[in-house]
Amino acid sequence: MLVFWKKKLVFLSVPKTGTTAIEAALAPVADMVISNPPELKHAPVYRYNRFFRPMFERACNVDDMELMAVMREPISWLASWYRYRQRDAMRGHRNATHHVSFEEFVLEYMKGDKKAAFANVGSQAKFLEPRPNGVKVTHLFPYEDQPRLIRFLEERLEQPINLAQHNRSPQMDLELSLDTQRKLRRKFSADFDLHESLL
């Protein structure tokens, strides 16, 4: 998470949406950089609303911070998680995916609360879900349109941005059966609908 105080902008870091590269580029000009622990670095809207917003309002007398975030096409997002957990450094870890195919990973992901640890990666729609008090992401960008995201940041922060590759997962060809794709789209329709609304 990055906070740009004078610009009244908070960048929420949705995992596996390329935000590590953006954070690396913008950390030097951010007023606050939350890089650890992961629960705060990747604070979703509800956690921002519960912990950070009250701090900004009460301690700093600011109540009009705007939130921005990036969202990735849901199957591509799951593929990125799967590849990330295929890294050699993950071998032997309970979250590793070396022992399952991408198809098996996605089927496990759809099991809800009963899913195995390796498939417990949350939901982008849940991460971005507006709160009853009106707190929501004001500026949401599709991962697939990086120029649009960069344009917004450069205009808002009034400076050029150069991104470098960070946190890149192993490359591999991954496929899902049509049946599994249909089930995923039905079960996580909120994610697909939200992403499609950005294109």
Side-chain angles (χ1 to χ4, degrees), residues 117-132:
F118 67 80
N120 188 12
V121 298
S123 155
Q124 293 179 95
K126 193 70 177 170
F127 185 107
L128 299 163
E129 188 175 50
R131 308 314 302 151

Side-chain angles (χ1 to χ4, degrees), residues 36-167:
N36 268 305
E39 293 80 9
L40 294 183
K41 174 184 178 178
H42 297 295
V45 173
Y46 75 84
R47 195 167 288 142
Y48 168 84
N49 184 55
R50 184 173 179 187
F51 297 108
F52 292 96
R53 181 194 54 78
M55 175 179 66
F56 293 156
E57 289 184 2
R58 295 172 193 161
C60 309
N61 199 29
V62 173
D63 62 358
D64 56 353
M65 299 294 279
E66 294 181 5
L67 304 182
M68 70 168 293
V70 177
M71 182 183 191
R72 190 169 184 164
E73 190 281 324
I75 295 176
S76 172
W77 184 71
L78 288 172
S80 183
W81 270 115
Y82 175 80
R83 292 194 311 270
Y84 182 73
R85 292 182 169 186
Q86 285 266 319
R87 294 170 300 139
D88 286 339
M90 293 294 293
R91 289 195 182 279
H93 194 282
R94 70 188 189 110
N95 288 344
T97 55
H98 297 97
H99 63 293
V100 294
S101 67
F102 182 52
E103 179 94 5
E104 291 167 327
F105 173 78
V106 173
L107 289 171
E108 189 66 30
Y109 173 72
M110 290 191 286
K111 288 184 179 178
D113 294 338
K114 298 179 181 178
K115 68 174 70 75
F118 67 80
N120 188 12
V121 298
S123 155
Q124 293 179 95
K126 193 70 177 170
F127 185 107
L128 299 163
E129 188 175 50
R131 308 314 302 151
N133 64 351
V135 172
K136 63 180 180 179
V137 173
T138 316
H139 308 283
L140 183 59
F141 298 90
Y143 169 85
E144 298 75 17
D145 191 350
Q146 293 290 309
R148 190 163 122 205
L149 168 65
I150 299 304
R151 242 184 347 263
F152 170 81
L153 285 168
E154 288 183 332
E155 290 173 6
R156 187 67 177 259
L157 303 179
E158 300 178 281
Q159 69 170 60
I161 297 171
N162 295 307
L163 298 184
Q165 287 281 350
H166 284 269
N167 207 19

